[in-house]
Amino acid sequence: MMSPNHLSDDRGSPPHHFRHTPLQIIHVAANFLRIWSIYSMFRYLSQTGASVVLFLFACLAPAAILFLILQKPWKGRPLSNTQVVPSIINGFITALYLVLWGKGLKSCGPVRAILGEYSGAVLGVLSGVLYGRRSNLWKKIGGLIAMCASFYLLSEGWATATYFPFYILTQDETEAQTEHVLGLKQMLIPIIAGILSALRRVIARRVSIKNQLKRRLHALTIASATCFMFPIAMWDVIIGSPSESNGKLPFSAWAFSSTILFGNIVIFYADSIAEERLHMVFSSPRHLMAASACIIVMEIVYKMDFSLAGFVICSLILGLGIYQATALERNRKDSVRNSDLSNGEFDNQIQMSSLPT
């Protein structure tokens, strides 16, 4: 039988969901600012024809300096080689991810580039093959098929008013549209970038268990990514491409500052809080739902070629695929959460899955 003091403590403590509401608001606001910076970047690149790699390098270098100043990885307990070497390798993966994602953003548009980042949930299928049971394997394969179907519909332009099959355009709208069907080949660029993004998150989690150590190693990863991207940016300046203004990078205060602050720094700390306190990883249906709401707002504000019904269909299919593909990791986290709650250690102990997505 519970004591009266214990009952009074339970009455006085806020419910679990209400206690995390401010953190959820912060996470959604940070994602909104990050998606806003992506749309401003896309408009800047489309209007100026600037080099994507050079722009990303010009934003990544100040972000790396700020991360180093904030985290000071050279202070505190010395980092071992088993932590530094994977972080440097992770920097190379991050640089490659940024280059591919930037190319995908310019060629495919913000909607496909943002949703393509969630293709990293295919690592959940890999974890099911390596660690899961046969009963969960078919769920993961079904989730993979649903994700592929969603990306196929996105490549066919279902998220645009021009090519959504159940939308009838007026004559004025038809003349104003400039979108075109991409096809799966171009859609592969943001998909591969999303898989690389998930891979770098997996490496970061497996190298650093403690949160403070994870932030220190992230500063080292971004610094190494800047070093790896430097020769690519210089090569792009020298060689360039016919569609880009070679060696020219017009200055736009909002495009640069929003990408540095919201696209790199703020979103990292917001995702870290969501992972530590809300147990919400990037490739999850809840994260996709928040990002989809922000995309809808930005598409309307920027007056893009956008079909709300088509976008909702693609997002729902993608969310269903992610839900099925990450079934094993979700079950493990639920069991860990229940055991922590029963022991009263929910806020002090966080256990990660063997291969998180």
Side-chain angles (χ1 to χ4, degrees):
M1 186 173 181
M2 299 178 67
S3 62
N5 293 333
H6 187 76
L7 290 174
S8 62
D9 292 340
D10 289 342
R11 292 193 192 101
S13 61
H16 179 266
H17 295 287
F18 290 103
R19 189 173 65 225
H20 287 161
T21 298
L23 298 178
Q24 293 173 347
I25 294 174
I26 292 173
H27 184 250
V28 172
N31 275 274
F32 177 79
L33 292 174
R34 189 238 176 186
I35 291 175
W36 189 3
S37 70
I38 291 174
Y39 275 83
S40 64
M41 183 200 312
F42 175 73
R43 172 165 290 186
Y44 169 82
L45 295 174
S46 302
Q47 292 178 350
T48 62
S51 169
V52 176
V53 180
L54 189 60
F55 175 83
L56 291 175
F57 173 76
C59 295
L60 190 64
I65 296 173
L66 290 175
F67 272 123
L68 291 174
I69 294 174
L70 291 173
Q71 298 303 327
K72 298 179 178 64
W74 57 87
K75 288 188 176 182
R77 185 176 181 180
L79 301 174
S80 63
N81 291 333
T82 57
Q83 296 169 336
V84 174
V85 174
S87 298
I88 295 176
I89 297 174
N90 209 14
F92 173 77
I93 297 175
T94 301
L96 184 59
Y97 147 71
L98 288 174
V99 171
L100 291 177
W101 181 83
K103 296 288 186 181
L105 173 65
K106 191 169 184 179
S107 61
C108 302
V111 172
R112 300 180 182 100
I114 295 172
L115 294 185
E117 290 183 300
Y118 292 90
S119 62
V122 299
L123 294 183
V125 180
L126 178 61
S127 68
V129 174
L130 297 177
Y131 305 104
R133 299 175 180 175
R134 294 298 177 182
S135 59
N136 291 322
L137 180 60
W138 292 110
K139 289 184 178 181
K140 290 179 175 294
I141 294 176
L144 179 62
I145 294 174
M147 291 171 60
C148 292
S150 175
F151 290 133
Y152 174 76
L153 295 179
L154 286 171
S155 66
E156 292 297 315
W158 274 49
T160 63
T162 307
Y163 297 104
F164 182 60
F166 307 108
Y167 185 80
I168 301 176
L169 293 173
T170 63
Q171 183 176 0
D172 295 336
E173 289 176 330
T174 304
E175 295 175 355
Q177 304 304 325
T178 58
E179 290 282 345
H180 59 282
V181 176
L182 293 175
L184 285 176
K185 288 185 178 180
Q186 284 184 290
M187 191 66 195
L188 281 176
I189 298 177
I191 290 176
I192 295 174
I195 295 174
L196 290 175
S197 177
L199 180 61
R200 70 188 179 94
R201 288 187 174 92
V202 169
I203 296 175
R205 292 192 194 109
R206 294 181 70 86
V207 171
S208 58
I209 301 299
K210 295 182 179 180
N211 301 327
Q212 185 62 31
L213 180 60
K214 178 181 176 181
R215 296 187 179 101
R216 292 173 62 194
L217 292 176
H218 181 76
L220 185 61
T221 298
I222 296 299
S224 62
T226 306
C227 298
F228 282 117
M229 190 177 286
F230 175 75
I232 304 176
M234 294 301 100
W235 178 265
D236 198 66
V237 169
I238 297 172
I239 304 299
S241 63
S243 61
E244 296 178 346
S245 55
N246 299 338
K248 296 180 180 179
L249 193 65
F251 180 74
S252 173
W254 172 247
F256 281 92
S257 61
S258 63
T259 304
I260 294 170
L261 294 177
F262 305 138
N264 288 282
I265 298 175
V266 173
I267 192 62
F268 167 72
Y269 290 106
D271 282 343
S272 297
I273 292 174
E275 212 174 287
E276 298 160 10
R277 304 296 300 276
L278 304 178
H279 298 269
M280 181 195 303
V281 295
F282 183 86
S283 297
S284 64
R286 285 196 299 166
H287 199 289
L288 174 63
M289 181 175 64
S292 298
C294 299
I295 290 174
I296 292 173
V297 174
M298 287 292 101
E299 287 284 319
I300 296 174
V301 170
Y302 278 82
K303 298 180 180 179
M304 306 290 284
D305 182 12
F306 181 64
S307 171
L308 178 60
F311 175 77
V312 170
I313 292 173
C314 295
S315 298
L316 287 177
I317 297 175
L318 180 60
L320 178 63
I322 294 173
Y323 182 84
Q324 295 296 331
T326 58
L328 178 62
E329 287 75 17
R330 187 171 55 254
N331 293 334
R332 288 181 179 178
K333 288 179 182 178
D334 290 340
S335 62
V336 168
R337 187 178 305 175
N338 293 333
S339 63
D340 288 344
L341 285 172
S342 63
N343 295 329
E345 298 176 354
F346 179 74
D347 292 327
N348 297 328
Q349 184 178 359
I350 299 175
Q351 300 181 17
M352 292 297 178
S353 60
S354 57
L355 186 58
T357 58

